[in-house]
């Protein structure tokens, strides 16, 4: 395949990263992603003991959380690209300032976002999930009221972690994540299982864990022994040149990812119309296949610092070399993880306290997801990270918007519902496929992205964008 073909010889002695360096970033990030999603699965299992209404309420809010969190994690992505490219140029005197600008930008955005959504939390949830059953909605409000307060803490954690990853130190993020997730499990054991607080309990455990993570990482980034460190964190003066570079990546990436998550939110709103059993089955299925998403998340976290540093050092051939290498590596790891899901699908289903009908639907959804994802997911969702590392963000933004709204959202409503209403203005007949209609539309979205992104990668147009660092 042309995408993975070696187009010219690379002098291995001149590579910016050895195989050992790549593994030092990739393995900790993969473990961290698996750890995060495993804990998420455990949390869902714990909440499921409080009934389908509780797990359904948490599932609905988690979809909304993903939309809101994207606002500041997109800035983090922009900042990590700038940090990586500065590291590539070896301008060490500028690295600390870039890191500080990133931390403050992400935190300020998160604080503003938290204030807005907390004030209007009930109208927002009613607008999006008003068709959900009353008990499901009550659990959603309880969960969202607490977990939304932790957004600034998560912004700090993500920003500082991105700085360490850009410098090739993924172990710090892994160790911090380990402590956070142990705390989450312990908190859920106390609040959800011990005290029977349900959705409110898991939200409280999440808040406390994110507070712990922010404190640990802020303490670590003050240490001068790290290539990326920040001195006098409380003394902040905006550097608009650096902020502009961060926003150059962060804004288009934010638009892309926010609209993507908002599209998923609308799909979740569609699923909320299909009943509590379907909501729970969808939540469990998405929870299990997070293991596949964890692979992609790990490689995105590796792709940006590695390719970004190659771009900053003006080593274009190495940017191509490492991007192809990481794409192939993701396919291999994803195949292994997917095989594991196939083998252990029945034991995994036994861990969830949902109805037999929900279990059967979940298994069908999981199997379909595993098969499709192992074939096309890396090309559809890792290649954008390659483009971002080279400051090529507008193309992925346009493709993501079109693909999401035409296929993921519009087609989902047409395929899932028997009657589709367009804002009450007019109605027309749909296909009435229920849950499967939404998932088929999702797979169509993946396929279109894969085709367009692969073509752009092969043509090399992503390397013709004006770089951030000169």
């Amino acid at each position: 395949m042309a995408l993975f073909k070696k187009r010219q010889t690379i002098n291995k002695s001149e590579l910016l990263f050895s195989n050992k360096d790549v593994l030092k970033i990739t393995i900790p990030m993969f473990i961290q992603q698996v750890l995060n999603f495993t804990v998420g699965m455990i949390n869902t299992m714990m909440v499921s003991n409080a009934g389908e209404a509780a797990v359904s309420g948490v599932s609905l809010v988690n979809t909304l959380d993903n939309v809101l969190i994207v606002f500041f994690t997109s800035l983090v992505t922009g900042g990590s690209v700038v940090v990586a490219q500065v590291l590539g140029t070896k301008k060490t005197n500028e690295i600390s300032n870039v890191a500080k600008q990133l931390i403050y930008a992400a935190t300020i955005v998160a604080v503003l976002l938290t204030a807005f959504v907390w004030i209007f939390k009930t109208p927002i949830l009613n607008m999006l999930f008003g068709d959900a059953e009353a008990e499901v909605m009550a659990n959603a409000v309880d969960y969202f009221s607490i977990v939304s307060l932790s957004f600034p803490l998560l912004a700090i954690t993500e920003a500082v972690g991105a700085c360490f990853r850009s410098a090739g130190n993924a172990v710090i993020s892994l160790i911090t994540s380990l402590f956070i997730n142990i705390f989450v499990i312990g908190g859920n054991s106390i609040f959800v299982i011990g005290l029977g607080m349900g959705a409110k309990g898991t939200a409280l455990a999440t808040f406390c864990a994110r507070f712990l993570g922010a404190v640990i990482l802020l303490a670590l980034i003050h240490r001068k022994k790290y290539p990326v460190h920040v001195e006098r964190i409380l003394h902040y003066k905006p550097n608009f040149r650096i902020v502009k570079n961060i926003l150059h990546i962060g804004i288009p990436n934010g638009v892309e990812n926010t609209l993507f998550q908002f599209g998923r939110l609308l799909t979740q709103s569609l699923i909320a119309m299909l009943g509590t059993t379907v909501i729970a089955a969808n939540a469990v299925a998405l929870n299990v296949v997070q293991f596949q998403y964890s692979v992609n998340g790990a490689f995105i976290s590796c792709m940006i610092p590695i390719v970004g540093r190659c771009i900053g050092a003006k080593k274009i051939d190495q940017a191509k070399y490492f991007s192809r290498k990481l794409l192939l590596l993701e396919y291999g790891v994803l195949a292994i993880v997917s095989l594991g899901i196939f083998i252990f699908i029945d034991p995994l289903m036994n861990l969830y306290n949902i109805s037999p009908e929900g279990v059967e639907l979940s298994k069908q959804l999981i199997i379909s997801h595993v098969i499709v994802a192992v074939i096309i997911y890396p090309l559809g969702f890792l290649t954008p990270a390659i483009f971002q590392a080279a400051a090529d963000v507008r193309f992925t933004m346009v493709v993501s918007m079109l693909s999401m709204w035409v296929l993921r959202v519009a087609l989902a409503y047409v395929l899932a519902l028997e009657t589709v209403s367009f804002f009450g203005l007019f109605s027309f007949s749909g296909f009435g496929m229920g849950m499967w209609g939404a998932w088929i539309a999702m797979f169509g979205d993946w396929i279109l992205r894969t085709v367009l992104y692969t073509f752009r990668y092969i043509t090399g147009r992503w390397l013709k964008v004006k770089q951030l660092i000169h």
Side-chain angles (χ1 to χ4, degrees), residues 282-425:
N282 183 69
V284 170
L286 291 177
N287 203 241
V288 172
V289 300
Q290 291 293 342
F291 283 113
Q292 288 185 302
Y293 295 150
S294 70
V295 176
N296 191 69
F299 279 92
I300 287 175
S301 297
C302 300
M303 187 71 80
I304 288 177
I306 290 176
V307 175
R309 286 177 68 176
C310 292
I311 295 294
K314 301 187 184 302
K315 304 286 187 181
I316 303 303
D317 293 338
Q318 292 194 32
K320 297 177 182 178
Y321 170 79
F322 283 113
S323 62
R324 291 195 298 267
K325 186 171 187 173
L326 288 171
L327 270 168
L328 282 170
L329 190 56
E330 178 173 347
Y331 265 107
V333 175
L334 185 61
I336 295 172
V337 170
S338 300
L339 179 61
I341 294 175
F342 262 127
I343 294 173
F344 296 103
I345 187 169
D346 286 325
L348 286 171
M349 290 297 97
N350 292 333
L351 297 174
Y352 293 93
N353 184 25
I354 62 175
S355 65
E357 295 81 5
V359 168
E360 183 60 31
L361 179 56
S362 290
K363 289 174 63 175
Q364 295 173 8
L365 295 173
I366 291 167
I367 291 172
S368 66
H369 189 287
V370 166
I371 294 172
V372 178
V374 79
I375 297 172
I376 66 173
Y377 202 82
L379 286 174
F381 289 88
L382 184 57
T383 45
I386 301 173
F387 304 156
Q388 289 166 8
D392 179 19
V393 291
R394 294 182 181 177
F395 179 80
T396 57
M397 178 184 70
V398 173
V399 170
S400 178
M401 289 172 59
L402 291 176
S403 183
M404 166 59 71
W405 291 100
V406 173
L407 295 178
R408 190 77 169 257
V409 177
L411 184 61
Y413 276 80
V414 172
L415 293 179
L417 300 178
E418 293 184 359
T419 302
V420 182
S421 176
F422 186 78
F423 297 109
L425 299 176

